[in-house]
Amino acid sequence: MKEKNLDYNSIIGLFLILLILTVFTYFNTYNDKEFLSNRFAEEKRISSFDKLSFVSKKKSKNDCVLENEVLRLRISSLGGMINEVFLKKYKAYDLIHVSHNKNLYLIKDSSFLYKMIFWVNSNKKHFKKNLISTDTLYFHPFFFQKRGKLMILIMRARNPYGVGFIDHIYTLNEGSQYHVDFHVRTVNLFPSIGKKTISINLEQKVFSLEKDRNWENSYTQIYYSHNKNSHSKVQSLSEKKSEERNIYNLNWIAHKQQFFATIFIPKKPLKNFFIRSENFPSGIFLKKIQSNILLKIKEHEEINIPFQLYFGPLDFSLLKKLDQKIENIIPFGWGFLKWINKYFFLVIFQFLEKTNLNYGVIIILMTIVVKLILSPITYKQYKLSAMMKLIRPEIDEINKKFRNSDPLKKQRAMMELYQKAGINPMSGCFSALFQIPIFYSLFKFFPTLINLRGKSFFWVDDLTSYDSILELPFSIPFYGNHVSLLTLLYSLALLIYTKISNNVSSNDPLINQKNASDMPFILYLMPIIMLLFINSYASGLSLYYFISNIINIGLIFFIKKFLLDENKIRQKIQENKKKPTKRHYWKYRIKEIMKKKKDF
């Protein structure tokens, strides 16, 4: 049977990529139509009564508003806590109008609840203990002052069972900062405080804000940092199932969405913290997150609990300024993939972003820069392929000669041929394996980059979500219920690149005749596989891969025409064959194995 000219490095790379995509897709599958239809119906119902509900709901006169350039907070008189957070520079996706044009509220209409519970002694003679829950108390604006760029607001509630007050103090910077200092204290209340244990309860229902609920839900989860063995450690709860956990020595906790987060940062680590998350299968909310904190205060001591709250985007530079490794909640991938995204792709992207060009153009420029950086690897890979094709007749001869012989003899002859020709066959495998982490890291880069959120490019309305030129009345497994033009273009470019990169470049008619049909069929499956798997991925990813393959095609023609001379390569191979062979490790090992086998 005639031997096939298989490119084993490409096949190994293909199977690794297929495995990665299968696992990645498996953990992100859901019923598109059910989720979208339920959410669409819910949004339509809310939008119909939105204006009416705002008119009928009378805001208390004691409700206060704090705002700066990027943030607007409404503090309710009932409970004295934030009941509305509006981000001025961002918009939420509107399924009805199919665009990012809704005002973006991280918190609204009691989606966030806060209460502190503790016991106080009554001033009456029979010494009765009473429970205070701050969510039932009415707070009024007791003090407001601007100190430079800082705005300070104190909301005060009276102890309903005697003397003393409870203050909620808010401090907000007038600039473009997304964090607010929140301070809870009591005034002249300590003689009345009964049990010295205080319970703080938090609850937030996380809004769905993006186009693709599937992707948004897969990126919405709880992250937290806690001290363990004198080291801070960042961990997370499951994004797919309901989960609860007790945390000790908590440094901070983040209710993270795909592009935004609500983060609680206590000034001192909290020793006893309980957290629970619950998923919503449909509707306008993604998750319900509940927390409970138990604090002990000393005898004759007032309550004094400082926090910092962050309501804003998952912007790497902003989160890094918080200086507690909070930027690690941006899901850039695990292990070294995270480093590739943070210190390679993100750096290149931020540099090109300064050009103020369209973000689609920035992705194209980023692709060109990355391909130029990796061009030496491409050159070596293509040169190895050319050299392998030139010694193909000798490889075929060895295969024919040792067809029915000991495989070790055949392997030994192959290694001798590679050594004489000056070829290291493992270098091609290393090149392929080196590019796989880069390939996969991009799957985490584009869906999490807030700079691309809502940015358009030609027919694409959001580079962090899929583009669609046709909606299908049915859903295809893995593919989805829409047609992405960028995915089609990428698959076509990949097919052309696969065909060109595996064509025989030799002018020898015998080689051409022998290898014309030797391209393994499995390599042609790659465009089909990618067409199925990335149809619902971020359009920025499809754009990057499309341009990347166009550049690859151009590089092949450029390298073949200007950099590689097959006659010189053939001459170099012949010169290497005439040189005395050096002792080769693998040749020596094979010889030793054969010797032992013969003695045995």
Side-chain angles (χ1 to χ4, degrees), residues 18-19 51 139 388 402 451 461 491 538 574 580 586 594:
L18 178 60
L19 178 64
K51 293 182 179 179
F139 288 72
M388 292 292 287
F402 295 96
N451 311 58
D461 60 351
S491 300
Q574 295 302 323
W586 291 110
M594 289 182 67

Side-chain angles (χ1 to χ4, degrees), residues 438-598:
I438 294 177
F439 177 88
Y440 177 64
S441 62
L442 290 167
F443 279 79
K444 288 290 188 179
F445 182 76
F446 287 105
T448 60
L449 196 63
I450 192 169
N451 311 58
L452 297 176
R453 181 183 181 271
K455 299 300 189 295
S456 60
F457 181 63
F458 289 110
W459 66 91
V460 180
D461 60 351
D462 184 1
L463 286 165
T464 62
S465 185
Y466 61 83
D467 67 298
S468 178
I469 58 169
L470 179 65
E471 296 293 328
L472 302 176
F474 50 86
S475 182
I476 302 172
F478 292 106
Y479 185 75
N481 61 354
H482 63 275
V483 178
S484 167
L485 179 56
L486 275 176
T487 306
L488 287 173
L489 292 173
Y490 161 55
S491 300
L492 179 61
L494 180 59
L495 179 65
I496 295 171
Y497 169 67
T498 303
K499 176 72 176 175
I500 293 175
S501 62
N502 287 277
N503 278 343
V504 178
S505 59
S506 175
N507 294 322
D508 189 337
L510 177 62
I511 296 178
N512 284 336
Q513 180 182 359
K514 196 171 184 178
N515 294 287
S517 61
D518 280 351
M519 176 59 198
F521 175 72
I522 192 170
L523 290 180
Y524 284 117
L525 289 178
M526 188 61 175
I528 300 174
I529 292 170
M530 297 306 295
L531 180 66
L532 290 173
F533 275 97
I534 72 168
N535 188 64
S536 295
Y537 280 47
S539 53
L541 177 73
S542 299
L543 176 61
Y544 180 95
Y545 284 148
F546 169 61
I547 299 301
S548 178
N549 278 276
I550 295 297
I551 294 172
N552 283 338
I553 293 170
L555 280 175
I556 285 179
F557 284 112
F558 180 80
I559 292 172
K560 180 180 176 182
K561 186 172 181 64
F562 298 104
L563 299 182
L564 285 183
D565 188 330
E566 291 187 5
N567 291 327
K568 288 183 178 180
I569 293 176
R570 188 181 285 109
Q571 184 180 352
K572 186 70 178 292
I573 290 174
Q574 295 302 323
E575 290 175 359
N576 289 334
K577 288 180 179 180
K578 294 177 182 179
K579 292 180 180 179
T581 58
K582 297 179 181 179
R583 182 176 178 180
H584 194 276
Y585 174 77
W586 291 110
K587 177 183 175 182
Y588 170 76
R589 293 298 302 159
I590 292 170
K591 189 183 291 185
E592 286 292 312
I593 294 170
M594 289 182 67
K595 185 179 179 180
K596 289 181 181 179
K597 187 176 181 181
K598 186 177 180 181

Side-chain angles (χ1 to χ4, degrees), residues 162-174:
V163 299
F165 304 95
I166 303 168
D167 287 346
H168 287 178
I169 306 171
Y170 296 90
T171 306
L172 181 66
N173 193 296
E174 287 185 336

Side-chain angles (χ1 to χ4, degrees), residues 91 101 138 144 163 189 276 291 295 413 445 491 520 585:
K91 294 289 184 179
N101 63 1
Y138 277 95
F144 178 79
V163 299
L189 193 65
R276 184 179 186 276
S291 304
L295 298 174
F445 182 76
S491 300
Y585 174 77

Side-chain angles (χ1 to χ4, degrees), residues 411-421 581 587:
Q411 187 65 27
R412 179 183 175 187
M414 285 287 191
M415 295 304 296
E416 287 179 349
L417 174 62
Y418 291 150
Q419 188 179 4
K420 289 179 179 179
T581 58
K587 177 183 175 182

